[in-house]
Structure formats: structure tokens, C-alpha cells
């Protein structure tokens, strides 16, 4: 199994604008590290910028399908894979945009590795900042990744994604049980006490 630096298996590793853009009530979606939650893109709370500013900010690289977005400021090392592209969006500097060479590395495999304890340990060792932690692109590019052949990468992804789905389902069931328990507690114990 070959070990590669991240920069050698990617087309580009960059980040979003370092200048706070002018926000609008409508326009093109603009996201930051806060929009990556538990390995998924979350567009439920975002800002908008103008089409003109979006075009300016993305003239070099626009996020696209199979890109990976990695949190690099504040909350560090959470990664999400862009699996579908329903609308264009821009990113803030708190997100790194990683575009893998798909002939070498499966994007879903790379996303899983970036979320692994090995990558997280590396991120912790290279971050700077006291109040707000920052992950610098130069250090990110040096992350070492053991890379099995593509078919083996896909097999690993299939197993890990099955576990991810099982864990997500279990978490939803636990939350549903907690809601049911609270309802029963109110109905069976607290409501009768209130009516006395």
C-alpha cells in the first residue's frame, strides 16, 4: 500500500474567500464551517451573496460534485462530500475545498479518511490559534494518506457507509424513544399530579 501526501492525489486544495462578503436577503448561497455537520452538508442556515460577487469569488474554482469540503477554522476536521449539485454556492475561508484525482482516489474514501482518527490526530498536531483554531492549507497538503487500489477503496467505503447509515438510524430511534418517554412521563405521572 502506497502512502501519498494529500497534495499529490488532488487536483486542487484551496479555501474560500478571506474577506467577509456583502450579504443580501436573496441571491447565491454562501456557506461556512457551520454548514458542515457530522460529515454532511447542511444548507438549513446560510447566507446569500450577489451573483456578481459569487462569480468573482469562484472564478478560479467553484464547488462541484465529488469535491470535499473540510472545516479548517473553529470546528476543525469535519468533512463533507458534495454528492449532488442542485444550486451553485460559494464558501468562506473556514472551509477548504479539496478536489481529488478520481483516477487515483475515490472521493468517498478520501472523505472517510479525512474524518478518521488518524487524520484528526494530525489536524490537532498542526493547528494554530488560541481562541479559534486554524488549519493551514500548507500543512493540510502534507497530510499522509495510505492508498489501497481503487477497488479496495470502494469496498472500504461500502462497509463504512453501511455502518454510517446504521448509526444514523440508531440515533434517530434513540431520539424517538426519548420523545416517547417524555410524553409518557407527562401523561402518566406529571399530568395526574397537576390535576390534583
Amino acid at each position: 500500500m502506497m502512502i501519498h501526501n494529500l497534495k499529490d492525489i488532488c487536483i486542487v486544495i484551496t479555501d474560500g474567500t478571506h474577506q467577509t462578503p456583502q450579504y443580501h436577503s436573496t441571491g447565491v448561497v454562501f456557506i461556512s464551517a457551520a454548514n458542515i455537520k457530522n460529515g454532511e452538508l447542511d444548507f438549513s442556515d446560510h447566507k446569500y451573496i450577489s451573483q456578481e460577487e459569487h462569480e468573482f469569488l469562484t472564478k478560479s474554482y467553484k464547488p462541484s460534485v465529488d469535491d470535499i469540503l473540510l472545516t479548517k477554522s473553529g470546528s476543525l476536521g469535519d468533512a463533507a462530500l458534495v454528492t449532488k449539485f442542485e444550486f451553485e454556492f460559494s464558501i468562506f475561508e473556514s472551509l477548504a475545498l479539496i478536489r481529488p484525482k478520481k483516477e487515483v482516489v475515490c472521493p468517498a474514501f478520501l472523505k472517510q479518511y479525512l474524518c478518521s482518527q488518524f487524520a484528526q490526530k494530525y489536524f490537532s498536531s498542526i493547528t494554530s490559534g488560541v481562541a479559534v483554531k486554524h488549519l493551514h492549507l500548507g500543512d493540510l497538503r502534507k497530510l499522509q494518506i495510505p492508498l489501497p487500489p481503487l477497488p479496495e477503496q470502494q469496498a472500504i467505503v461500502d462497509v463504512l457507509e453501511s455502518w454510517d447509515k446504521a448509526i444514523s438510524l440508531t440515533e434517530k430511534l434513540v431520539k424517538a424513544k426519548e420523545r416517547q418517554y417524555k410524553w409518557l412521563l407527562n401523561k402518566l405521572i406529571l399530568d395526574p399530579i397537576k390535576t390534583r
Side-chain angles (χ1 to χ4, degrees), residues 83-100:
T83 56
K84 56 185 177 180
F85 207 74
E86 297 173 352
F87 49 83
E88 289 193 353
F89 59 91
S90 286
I91 62 174
F92 201 35
E93 64 86 23
S94 58
L95 287 172
L97 184 150
I98 301 168
R99 183 164 298 163

Side-chain angles (χ1 to χ4, degrees), residues 5-17:
N5 286 341
L6 183 63
K7 66 181 176 65
D8 296 325
I9 60 171
C10 292
I11 297 167
V12 65
I13 300 170
T14 189
D15 58 8
T17 178

Side-chain angles (χ1 to χ4, degrees), residues 135-162:
L135 181 61
H136 296 283
L137 293 178
D139 294 321
L140 178 60
R141 293 183 179 106
K142 297 173 188 173
L143 171 65
Q144 293 192 326
I145 301 173
L147 215 56
L150 277 171
E152 191 174 334
Q153 291 178 36
Q154 188 58 56
I156 291 168
V157 166
D158 292 343
V159 171
L160 293 176
E161 287 184 347
S162 294

Side-chain angles (χ1 to χ4, degrees), residues 13 21 30 43 64 104 125 151 156 192:
I13 300 170
F30 183 81
F43 290 106
S64 62
V104 177
S125 73
I156 291 168

Side-chain angles (χ1 to χ4, degrees), residues 177-192:
K177 291 286 187 184
E178 287 172 351
R179 287 194 299 271
Q180 185 180 26
Y181 171 79
K182 287 177 182 176
W183 181 85
L184 284 169
L185 178 65
N186 283 329
K187 196 73 177 167
L188 300 175
I189 298 175
L190 300 179
D191 283 352

Side-chain angles (χ1 to χ4, degrees), residues 31-44 67-71 77-84 89 95 111-112 115 160-161 164-165 168 171-172:
I31 64 170
S32 67
N35 296 99
I36 310 293
K37 296 177 181 174
N38 301 316
E40 300 290 336
L41 266 171
D42 182 354
F43 290 106
S44 61
D67 285 350
I68 297 162
L69 299 176
L70 177 77
T71 58
D78 197 359
L81 179 65
V82 181
T83 56
K84 56 185 177 180
F89 59 91
L95 287 172
K111 181 256 182 181
Q112 290 283 358
C115 292
L160 293 176
E161 287 184 347
D164 285 343
K165 287 176 185 173
S168 177
E171 288 173 347
K172 288 178 183 175

